[in-house]
Amino acid sequence: MIVFDNVAKRYPGGYTALAGVSFEIRHGELVVLSGHSGAGKSTLLKLIPAIERPTAGTVLINGQDVSRLPRRAVPYLRRNLGLMLQESKLLTDRSVFENVMLPLVITGHPPGDAAKRVAAALERVGLGGRGREMPLGLSGGEQQRVAIARAIVNRPSILIADEPTAHLDPAYADEIAALFKSFNSAGVTVLVSTHDANLFAANKPRRLVLAKGLLTEGA
């Protein structure tokens, strides 16, 4: 489902974020990506939806070589992906409902069905009936739940999250981890980056560990 074959990513100025990374994630796996700050975790995740392109090597998603995907085809790739990246902040001038609706608006989803999907996604993350509220009126954990609802509203086959529990207290972090586990139990492939070594420990997930751009564990 997700295959990295000898992938490297170098930025202008000579900085190497990833060097010769190879691994395969199969359908339905729960995989935790860990490593020190600057290890290359965020770069690796951004290669999957073609936000970044590799300098060398191949990235395959469901058999499709996204490293060479034409720009016009990228939106179609992302329809099968649920993304929670660090740059994907909630829009504070829009309601919870409008925030979750955004991916469906972008893809031109029919409004009636889109509204039903938003309601179902909010219910799924424990925020049913709170669509009219504004993000700034929610707790940190609730805001993360809204971000998760936005990531799953298009019913993706792959869910990718970059440090989804950063800055949350342990109780909220455990709740968010339980949500991701529930999606995985329903058949969604989940790849989560985290600095918390104990997160998901009870679920005994497969782990990929990066150090200075090199995959040191989990290939």
Side-chain angles (χ1 to χ4, degrees):
M1 176 164 275
I2 301 174
V3 178
F4 276 53
D5 184 10
N6 203 30
V7 171
K9 177 63 179 181
R10 291 183 292 276
Y11 289 100
Y15 173 69
T16 298
L18 296 172
V21 171
S22 297
F23 63 86
E24 178 177 355
I25 296 175
R26 295 177 296 277
H27 175 74
E29 280 197 283
L30 169 62
V31 180
V32 173
L33 176 65
S34 60
H36 59 83
S37 178
K41 301 187 299 296
S42 294
T43 296
L44 187 153
L45 295 182
K46 289 178 181 178
L47 290 171
I48 296 171
I51 294 171
E52 298 276 8
R53 303 289 183 122
T55 307
T58 303
V59 178
L60 298 175
I61 308 298
N62 293 325
Q64 185 175 42
D65 185 354
V66 303
S67 52
R68 295 171 178 81
L69 197 64
R71 192 168 298 276
R72 66 181 179 276
V74 170
Y76 297 98
L77 163 72
R78 293 178 186 168
R79 288 181 182 180
N80 292 316
L81 305 175
L83 302 174
M84 277 188 70
L85 303 179
Q86 292 186 24
E87 296 85 353
S88 303
K89 305 298 184 183
L90 297 179
L91 302 177
T92 57
D93 62 340
R94 300 193 187 188
S95 69
V96 165
F97 185 93
E98 291 169 323
N99 268 279
V100 178
M101 175 76 85
L102 189 59
L104 301 179
V105 172
I106 292 171
T107 57
H109 210 81
D113 186 58
K116 292 178 182 178
R117 287 193 178 209
V118 172
L122 287 172
E123 193 71 37
R124 187 73 176 81
V125 300
L127 293 175
R130 301 183 65 179
R132 294 185 179 181
E133 297 184 34
M134 302 300 287
L136 292 180
L138 304 178
S139 68
E142 289 169 337
Q143 289 182 25
Q144 284 296 72
R145 286 174 178 268
V146 175
I148 294 171
R150 185 173 61 184
I152 65 164
V153 73
N154 61 348
R155 299 172 184 169
S157 59
I158 301 172
L159 180 57
I160 299 163
D162 192 358
E163 297 284 2
T165 60
H167 314 303
L168 296 181
D169 64 38
Y172 277 135
D174 287 344
E175 290 178 6
I176 297 302
L179 272 175
F180 281 107
K181 177 57 182 174
S182 71
F183 298 134
N184 177 247
S185 296
V188 178
T189 303
V190 177
L191 174 58
V192 181
S193 162
T194 180
H195 65 283
D196 185 352
N198 294 318
L199 199 67
F200 298 104
N203 302 310
K204 298 181 179 179
R206 177 181 168 198
R207 293 189 179 272
L208 300 176
V209 181
L210 283 172
K212 297 182 179 179
L214 298 171
L215 190 63
T216 60
E217 182 182 328

